[in-house]
Amino acid sequence: MSRDLLADRYRGYIACLNGQDWDNLGNFVHERVRYNGKPIGLSGYREMLKDDFRAIPDLFFDIQLLICEPPRVASRLQFNCTPKGELFGLPINGRRVQFAENVFYEFLDEKIETVWSVIDKAAIESQL
C-alpha cells in the first residue's frame, strides 16, 4: 500500500472512531489486533473504544500529525474533551482537559494489526 493510500485508510479509521461506527470497525482493524503488546482482538479493541466514549461522551480524535511509512503509521492525536469521572486514574469529574496521544500503528492486509499508544498524562495532571 502506498503512503497516500495508507494515509487515506488511516483517516477513514479515525472517521470511523469519531462516528462511533462500531459495525465498520472491522474494515479498519485486524481480527488479531494487539494493543501496547497485549493481544486483545477486534472485539476487545471495540469494547475498549466504547468504554472510552462512555467515559468521555464528547471524545473526538483530531489528527495533528500524520506520518506514513508503509506498513506503519505514526500519529499525534489531540483531544479537547470533558470526561465524566476519572480519566487514567485522575479525578477529572466533568472538567475540560486537553492532551495528546502519540500512537504508532502497523498494518497487515490493509488493517491495523498492532497499536502502540502513549498518552500525555502529565498534560492532564497540570490542568487539575
Side-chain angles (χ1 to χ4, degrees), residues 40-105:
I40 62 172
L42 177 58
S43 63
Y45 196 72
R46 182 182 292 116
E47 286 308 308
M48 177 184 71
L49 290 165
K50 285 181 175 181
D51 287 347
D52 290 344
F53 276 94
R54 280 191 280 274
I56 311 168
D58 62 347
L59 184 61
F60 183 82
F61 294 76
D62 184 12
I63 301 170
Q64 297 292 302
L65 177 66
L66 178 59
I67 299 170
C68 297
E69 185 65 45
R72 294 177 190 90
V73 167
S75 181
R76 181 171 176 85
L77 300 169
Q78 186 67 36
F79 300 94
N80 182 353
C81 56
T82 313
K84 291 194 294 187
E86 283 192 1
L87 181 66
F88 312 119
L90 300 171
I92 308 300
N93 301 322
R95 286 182 271 185
R96 180 161 291 281
V97 293
Q98 295 179 8
F99 62 95
E101 175 184 19
N102 295 310
V103 62
F104 302 89
Y105 306 85

Side-chain angles (χ1 to χ4, degrees), residues 1-11 66 68-70:
M1 187 178 334
S2 73
R3 287 180 184 185
D4 289 342
L5 287 175
L6 187 58
D8 288 345
R9 188 94 178 118
Y10 180 72
R11 286 185 186 100
L66 178 59
C68 297
E69 185 65 45

